Amino acid sequence: MIFILCAVLALAHSAERLVDPIVTETRIGELQLEYESFAKTGDWEGAQKAIRQAAALDPDHPKPYLLVVLLSSRRAAREQAGGIMDSLGPTAGPGRIYGEGLALFMNDKHAAAAAEFNRALELYRVMDHAAGQAACHTALGNVERQAGRLDEAM
């Protein structure tokens, strides 16, 4: 009985380490560098693989969705971003909503983008997801900067 309890506690302890945000952020940063290396050489499959690996670590993290939008733009295939983003995580999740906001922003639809960033921000707040909150605040600042409202952008 004690052995079973110890095994359960060991599994629970190791599960906590799997979602350590510092480790996750570090690995996602490494995958972003891999993505950039693949994208620079035109290896779109390699770039998408790096994005998928990042999303597998945290399907709500904003970085994979940012990379999808950038990759789609780089390939002059912005219409493909939505389908790829849908395959990375929950379609109603904050990462997907953030990604939609980025796509709107890149298409000069700033008001609609701001609405998506605010929706994602609220979900990230509920989740206490620091990277998601930071990404949304940055994106909202960029919307304000584009509109010439520099005081609000800060």
Side-chain angles (χ1 to χ4, degrees):
M1 181 68 158
I2 292 176
F3 176 73
I4 293 171
L5 180 60
C6 289
V8 168
L9 289 174
L11 286 173
H13 183 67
S14 62
E16 286 179 25
R17 283 188 295 225
L18 290 176
V19 294
D20 179 353
I22 295 171
V23 173
T24 301
E25 288 300 319
T26 301
R27 183 64 185 133
I28 287 176
E30 293 167 352
L31 288 165
Q32 181 179 5
L33 293 174
E34 288 180 29
Y35 156 84
E36 289 170 1
S37 177
F38 288 127
K40 193 179 288 185
T41 62
D43 181 353
W44 309 127
E45 287 182 31
Q48 280 191 15
K49 181 180 176 188
I51 292 169
R52 291 186 193 293
Q53 288 175 335
L57 294 171
D58 181 356
D60 292 313
H61 199 286
K63 188 70 58 100
Y65 299 91
L66 167 66
L67 298 178
V68 166
V69 172
L70 293 176
L71 180 64
S72 297
S73 180
R74 190 178 241 172
R75 294 179 66 188
R78 286 187 182 170
E79 71 284 351
Q80 294 177 359
I84 297 169
M85 287 191 289
D86 286 346
S87 72
L88 298 180
T91 56
R96 177 63 176 89
I97 295 167
Y98 170 79
E100 183 61 29
L102 289 172
L104 289 165
F105 182 79
M106 291 183 76
N107 285 311
D108 295 324
K109 297 178 181 174
H110 299 141
E116 295 299 286
F117 295 142
N118 278 311
R119 281 183 54 216
L121 178 59
E122 288 307 312
L123 293 171
Y124 281 131
R125 282 183 177 148
V126 169
M127 296 170 65
D128 197 30
H129 195 293
Q133 291 176 57
C136 289
H137 284 295
T138 299
L140 287 165
N142 287 333
V143 168
E144 295 299 329
R145 184 178 51 81
Q146 282 296 108
R149 296 184 295 262
L150 297 182
D151 288 339
E152 289 85 356
M154 302 302 242

